[in-house]
Amino acid sequence: MLIQLLTAVGVLAVLTMVPGPDMAVVTKRAVASGWQDGLRTVGGITAGLLVWGVLAVAGLAAVLAASATAYTVVKLAGAGYLVLLGVQALLQSRRNRSQEPAAALTPPRGNPWRTGLVSNVLNPKIAVFYTGLLPTLAPTGLPAHSGMALLVLVHAMLTAVWLGGYVLLLSKARAFFEKPAVRRGMDRATGTVLIGFGLKVATTQP
């Protein structure tokens, strides 16, 4: 069972480090508002994973993954939210272009924890991931529900550590990112990436 668990942790670690919408949302928040808001966003994302984990263990995520209509509704809601965040970032870069440097440092609106939570809960790919892949990684020496719950906790912890470390790394270069020209460039880049992820989510199939 130990070998199976270590293998599962390795797979989850690799998947966690692959850049995706969560990293784009965290980047936008950490660069704009600082490491505290960045970590709060990470906390919201981690909470979103736990929500999906509870649903997966309860079997509700499998229903979503199997229902084309339910999947499409959540998918379009999540895609729309990512596009909204991206458009906000692009608009912020345009506003900052004509503002004084101090005004360019105005943090984005909205609760960072809620932003992380909503962006993750509205990602139906997590439901597919938890119901499709996690059962194949769960240690056979544990009851099915216990094995799934353990891997969900592991994935949540890996995500918190990885994204939290990423936020702290960004904070080391905060002085660089606070430069108005750099901020505008980051807003444009993250806005474009978020819109791109939103469009990708909207066009992907379960």
Side-chain angles (χ1 to χ4, degrees):
M1 187 179 78
L2 179 59
I3 299 299
Q4 288 180 314
L5 182 59
L6 292 176
T7 300
V9 171
V11 172
L12 291 174
V14 171
L15 293 175
T16 298
M17 290 185 288
V18 174
D22 288 344
M23 182 169 282
V25 170
V26 168
T27 300
K28 177 180 180 294
R29 199 79 204 200
V31 169
S33 305
W35 65 269
Q36 295 96 333
D37 270 12
L39 291 182
R40 293 187 186 101
T41 307
V42 173
I45 290 170
T46 304
L49 291 176
L50 295 177
V51 169
W52 278 119
V54 170
L55 294 177
V57 172
L60 298 178
V63 174
L64 173 62
S67 170
T69 301
Y71 181 89
T72 299
V73 170
V74 176
K75 177 182 73 173
L76 293 179
Y81 187 69
L82 290 175
V83 170
L84 174 63
L85 293 177
V87 170
Q88 287 177 340
L90 292 178
L91 291 176
Q92 182 67 30
S93 72
R94 291 175 63 87
R95 285 194 295 268
N96 289 344
R97 187 176 182 179
S98 59
Q99 292 175 348
E100 294 298 323
L105 300 179
T106 303
R109 298 177 180 177
N111 183 289
W113 190 89
R114 185 173 60 247
T115 298
L117 175 68
V118 173
S119 68
N120 195 273
V121 168
L122 290 180
N123 184 359
K125 302 301 284 187
I126 301 297
V128 176
F129 170 60
Y130 276 6
T131 58
L133 180 60
L134 282 195
T136 68
L137 297 175
T140 55
L142 294 174
H145 285 182
S146 298
M148 284 277 292
L150 176 61
L151 292 187
V152 167
L153 290 175
V154 169
H155 186 220
M157 288 190 293
L158 288 173
T159 299
V161 171
W162 171 250
L163 291 180
Y166 173 67
V167 167
L168 295 179
L169 182 62
L170 286 177
S171 73
K172 298 296 183 181
R174 182 79 194 279
F176 171 75
F177 288 117
E178 284 181 341
K179 296 178 180 179
V182 176
R183 276 290 303 280
R184 288 194 296 271
M186 286 296 299
D187 282 338
R188 291 168 187 159
T190 56
T192 302
V193 168
L194 285 168
I195 292 173
F197 276 127
L199 296 177
K200 182 178 178 181
V201 168
T203 56
T204 54
Q205 299 301 317

